[in-house]
Amino acid sequence: MVEVTVTPQSSLADRPVQVQARGLSPSQLVTLRASLTDEHGECFQSRAFFRADGAGEVDPGRHAALGGSYAGIWPMGLFWFLQPDTLFRRLVKRDVAGSPFRVRLEVFDGARLVIGPEDQPLASCEAERWYVAPGMQRVPIREGRVRGALFLPP
């Protein structure tokens, strides 16, 4: 049975996570895709093609991506190379304290440049990427023309 996991499943956005796909056939060519929808409904995606090792596993931290959104060994590549479906959009988190970005990770059979709604993943999971740690206090800053926020730890 194929599975894709992210460890830890919930983390701060600046902390590394480990993505792994298991249960594949040895040397199977697969596409790992990361996708999220931001607070304005804009979709962002990245994908990378991998060849499973002899144990039927793919780990972007140990195995080089053969192509897609990036190539080479990039443990966080699926998160770092997220691109908008609509040109000229930027991935910006507005509500940093209230909710995380929910990143869906999927594994597909073969190298897929385009993944349509009819394509079913072999496995999927979801990662939460938070921008503020629990207990942080947000203090708005307004001084003259300066605007900002100060985040104080508990």
Side-chain angles (χ1 to χ4, degrees):
M1 181 173 134
V2 177
E3 70 172 339
V4 62
T5 59
V6 59
T7 308
Q9 185 268 331
S10 183
S11 64
L12 291 173
D14 64 346
R15 300 287 190 248
V17 295
Q18 182 180 26
V19 176
Q20 289 185 311
R22 293 184 199 91
L24 302 164
S25 299
S27 300
Q28 182 177 354
L29 185 63
V30 295
T31 300
L32 283 179
R33 177 175 75 166
S35 60
L36 69 82
T37 302
D38 73 4
E39 295 148 329
H40 296 291
E42 295 292 333
C43 294
F44 293 78
Q45 297 184 56
S46 64
R47 66 183 46 79
F49 314 131
F50 293 92
R51 187 161 303 280
D53 64 14
E57 295 181 0
V58 168
D59 179 346
R62 293 186 301 122
H63 303 113
L66 305 173
S69 301
Y70 66 96
I73 297 176
W74 292 79
M76 294 294 294
L78 290 168
F79 296 88
W80 290 343
F81 291 96
L82 286 164
Q83 294 294 314
D85 286 354
T86 305
L87 291 177
F88 308 113
R89 301 291 185 195
R90 289 185 358 178
L91 183 58
V92 177
K93 183 71 171 133
R94 302 280 183 214
D95 178 17
V96 294
S99 64
F101 271 142
R102 296 188 195 299
V103 182
R104 182 172 176 79
L105 296 158
E106 299 168 301
V107 61
F108 294 88
D109 187 34
R112 307 272 181 119
L113 289 174
V114 178
I115 299 171
E118 69 281 353
D119 295 318
Q120 294 299 312
L122 299 173
S124 65
C125 70
E126 191 173 89
E128 292 182 346
R129 303 294 281 167
W130 290 89
Y131 282 78
V132 176
M136 292 290 278
Q137 179 184 2
R138 183 179 189 273
V139 179
I141 304 295
R142 292 179 159 255
E143 186 66 39
R145 293 178 16 206
V146 175
R147 302 288 182 266
L150 174 64
F151 291 89
L152 298 172

